[in-house]
Amino acid sequence: MDRRELADFLRSRRERITPADVGLPTGPRRRTPGLRREEAAQLAFISTEYYTRLEQARGPHPSREVLAGLARALRLTDAERDHLHHLAGVPPGPPPGPSREVRQSILDLLHRLPLAAAIVVSATHEVIAWNDLAAALMEDFSAVPRRDRNLVRRVFLGPHPEGRRLYGVSDADEFARRAAQDLRATAARYPDDPELTELVGELRAGSEEFTELWDSHDVAAAPTFRKTFQHPSVGPVTVNCDVLDISDRDQRVVIYTATPGSPSEGALRLLSVIGTQRMDTAP
């Protein structure tokens, strides 16, 4: 355990986080950059005295549970989490939950596809990145809470406006079956992730269909390579669906493209212009 390096690392990570980043009020007379020690300790579910001793390079050997709390409280990346474990003399184990950190190169890729709707989904099918055309085709993900960006929750629990399940996509029922099977495999990879456990519990409580699929214990399903979205403004949009795996993050890039020269390509071009505004809304 390298106590001095651990202390310096914790301090540097704490000072880069603003109170607003974690939902805390800034308040008057705040002289400390970033979070205060007591705030970091509270977020990590440890005592202020314990955290202070760690930053003063005189703390005891932290357990895996303490390190997990620190990584969560300080919003560490996967690489920073592993570094924290090495400084503490505790070999890093598998990540507690699916990564939500999207590489900048992938974000750049999404926005270099002007005539393709593209999203990045986590291992739990949460939409964690998207381009403008995807927002126009599916929904404005920036306008909904994070929990409502999960496609598994969306397909089983709704909302289903005008009876359209999962944006009116033609393979919604098949996606539901495939997503439930995929989520079971994900749960096996991340058995200690509380968010994933909560998601599964919520789905089992709210959907008999999900419960039946979950209890089947199936974990493999063939993907769909072509589907049609029933868009409320431009009508049916038939797209090819290609999935690129980002294996080191356990994420997927999903790219929707229309056949060149088809009416659906024209619909995507129109959506790229109108964006998320509704053409059927009266002025």
Side-chain angles (χ1 to χ4, degrees):
M1 176 177 174
D2 191 332
R3 284 183 169 80
R4 174 47 57 193
E5 285 293 326
L6 176 62
D8 292 343
F9 182 66
L10 290 175
R11 185 180 304 109
S12 69
R13 302 304 91 176
R14 172 175 61 82
E15 292 179 349
R16 73 176 181 177
I17 301 176
T18 68
D21 290 336
V22 292
L24 295 175
T26 302
R29 300 179 182 177
R30 180 176 285 272
R31 300 174 183 175
T32 304
L35 297 178
R36 297 188 177 102
R37 284 176 174 170
E38 58 267 26
E39 292 169 336
Q42 180 182 8
L43 292 169
F45 299 106
I46 60 177
S47 70
T48 301
E49 179 185 3
Y50 185 10
Y51 182 83
T52 299
R53 292 174 65 191
L54 288 174
E55 276 205 10
Q56 292 176 344
R58 58 186 186 88
H61 200 290
S63 65
R64 286 187 179 274
E65 290 74 17
V66 168
L67 293 173
L70 290 171
R72 181 180 59 251
L74 300 177
R75 297 193 166 190
L76 301 188
T77 66
D78 292 342
E80 289 171 336
R81 167 187 164 274
D82 288 350
H83 184 59
L84 174 69
H85 276 74
H86 288 304
L87 292 177
V90 180
S99 174
R100 301 185 65 257
E101 179 189 358
V102 182
R103 283 202 301 267
Q104 185 61 48
S105 60
I106 298 297
L107 295 175
D108 293 340
L109 171 65
L110 298 190
H111 297 290
R112 289 172 180 160
L113 301 171
L115 289 182
I119 60 176
V120 180
V121 295
S122 72
T124 62
H125 288 274
E126 177 187 345
V127 178
I128 53 178
W130 58 89
N131 63 8
D132 292 341
L133 189 51
L137 178 65
M138 301 169 75
E139 72 174 320
D140 185 0
F141 295 105
S142 66
V144 298
R146 177 191 153 195
R147 60 173 279 109
D148 294 337
R149 298 174 192 164
N150 187 287
L151 300 182
V152 186
R153 180 182 280 114
R154 178 74 180 238
V155 74
F156 284 106
L157 303 181
H160 306 309
E162 302 174 0
R164 295 183 302 116
R165 192 181 192 189
L166 195 65
Y167 316 113
V169 72
S170 57
D171 69 332
D173 293 343
E174 175 61 25
F175 173 83
R177 183 178 70 85
R178 192 169 65 250
Q181 295 172 356
D182 194 45
L183 195 64
R184 178 169 275 288
T186 299
R189 295 197 300 275
Y190 304 100
D192 299 323
D193 179 27
E195 283 194 17
L196 179 52
T197 301
E198 180 182 358
L199 173 62
V200 172
E202 181 182 351
L203 290 168
R204 286 178 62 87
S207 171
E208 293 183 3
E209 178 188 10
F210 176 83
T211 299
E212 182 179 346
L213 290 167
W214 183 263
D215 290 343
S216 73
H217 291 268
D218 292 335
V219 294
T224 301
F225 296 108
R226 191 170 178 83
K227 61 183 66 184
T228 300
F229 287 87
Q230 293 295 334
H231 194 275
S233 297
V234 300
V237 183
T238 299
V239 292
N240 302 308
C241 177
D242 293 289
V243 180
L244 309 178
D245 285 327
I246 309 174
S247 57
D248 63 313
R249 303 286 174 95
D250 205 0
Q251 298 169 354
R252 300 169 197 165
V253 182
V254 185
I255 303 174
Y256 302 111
T257 57
T259 301
S262 68
S264 291
E265 184 190 39
L268 285 182
R269 288 184 182 275
L270 180 56
L271 284 175
S272 70
V273 174
I274 66 174
T276 56
Q277 64 180 314
R278 290 286 298 272
M279 293 192 302
D280 57 350
T281 302

